[in-house]
Amino acid sequence: MCQASQDSLNLSLLLQCGATQLPQLPSHLSDPRIKAAIAINPFSSAIFGQAGLSQIRVPTMIVASSADTIAPTLPEQIQPFTWLTTPNKYLALITGATHFSALASSPNEAIPVLPFVVGTNPIPMHQYLKALNAAFFKTYLMNQQQYRSYLSANYVKTINQLPIQLALVKTLSTSDLSKNLEDRLSLNLSACILLLLVFAPFPLWDWASNSVKPYTRRLM
């Protein structure tokens, strides 16, 4: 059962819990055509949960943004990463990016993407995603194993750009997360950040991106 009331400060649970109540949900969501997957800022904790994510067998990369106030990084990407059992898994953490930083503007868009939605400088995130996509899919879809070396923390350090920084990990212990999950500190921070961003001026994005750095620092 979806427990939205216990995590009401996690805005993504409003959608996740609603989705679990839809009629005629398929018994499983697997598709044999999918050979590898990259999920950018996904909603994971309730709609898939540990039981669902542990059944994924294909290579998987989860991308998380530290200033994501829609799907908080700790409960929606970092903890779900520990539930993956596939041997080829990656967690990419982008410090200073928002839930919408991956969006790219288009000259044909009806409504322009506002700067405060995507963050102060989304361009480095776009470049990170292009590099990760190329290395990941070349390795696991085209079997070009020479690209595997680019899926490493050492390579990521060479392409990092301030102030938006990228970290990449392949393993993470659940014991490292237990204390943070118990007090749900990240959820409280996310709610405060969201309220401040709605009612306060644009420069608070800088404060928002810095407020969750401790979570990414311990993974780097």
Side-chain angles (χ1 to χ4, degrees):
M1 180 178 294
C2 191
Q3 300 292 331
S5 60
Q6 295 183 7
D7 295 296
S8 58
L9 298 180
N10 182 348
L11 297 182
S12 73
L13 285 180
L14 297 175
L15 294 176
Q16 294 187 70
C17 291
T20 61
Q21 303 303 315
L22 292 174
Q24 299 180 344
L25 284 175
S27 58
H28 61 85
L29 297 175
S30 63
D31 188 330
R33 296 171 297 177
I34 298 176
K35 306 303 181 184
I38 294 180
I40 301 175
N41 302 330
F43 299 173
S44 307
S45 63
I47 196 167
F48 297 115
Q50 184 171 2
L53 291 176
S54 64
Q55 296 181 42
I56 294 176
R57 298 291 179 262
V58 300
T60 302
M61 178 180 291
I62 294 178
V63 179
S65 301
S66 70
D68 190 338
T69 58
I70 306 299
T73 303
L74 185 58
E76 293 303 328
Q77 292 101 43
I78 297 179
Q79 185 188 28
F81 172 76
T82 67
W83 298 337
L84 291 172
T85 57
T86 175
N88 298 309
K89 63 178 184 178
Y90 302 86
L91 176 64
L93 300 116
I94 303 179
T95 303
T98 76
H99 187 76
F100 302 102
S101 292
L103 294 178
S105 59
S106 169
N108 299 321
E109 59 192 8
I111 301 176
V113 179
L114 300 177
F116 77 88
V117 172
V118 298
T120 56
N121 185 13
I123 294 177
M125 181 170 184
H126 298 167
Q127 296 172 340
Y128 295 152
L129 291 178
K130 288 179 180 178
L132 292 173
N133 285 345
F136 183 78
F137 289 121
K138 287 281 189 180
T139 300
Y140 293 109
L141 288 186
M142 304 181 70
N143 197 30
Q144 297 182 14
Q145 295 302 311
Q146 65 270 28
Y147 284 90
R148 187 183 292 270
S149 61
Y150 297 109
L151 297 172
S152 67
N154 288 335
Y155 172 70
V156 162
K157 290 179 181 178
T158 67
I159 63 173
N160 257 324
Q161 304 177 47
L162 294 175
I164 309 297
Q165 298 188 66
L166 171 65
L168 186 69
V169 297
K170 299 179 181 179
T171 59
L172 182 63
S173 170
T174 54
S175 61
D176 294 336
L177 304 176
S178 59
K179 184 178 184 300
N180 290 327
L181 291 174
E182 287 173 1
D183 59 21
R184 302 183 184 278
L185 178 58
S186 70
L187 301 182
N188 293 330
L189 283 174
S190 297
C192 292
I193 292 170
L194 178 64
L195 291 174
L196 286 169
L197 292 176
V198 170
F199 296 106
F202 173 80
L204 277 172
W205 276 111
D206 294 333
W207 176 84
S209 64
N210 291 329
S211 65
V212 288
K213 281 185 179 179
Y215 298 113
T216 56
R217 189 178 298 118
R218 64 164 49 190
L219 299 175
M220 293 176 67

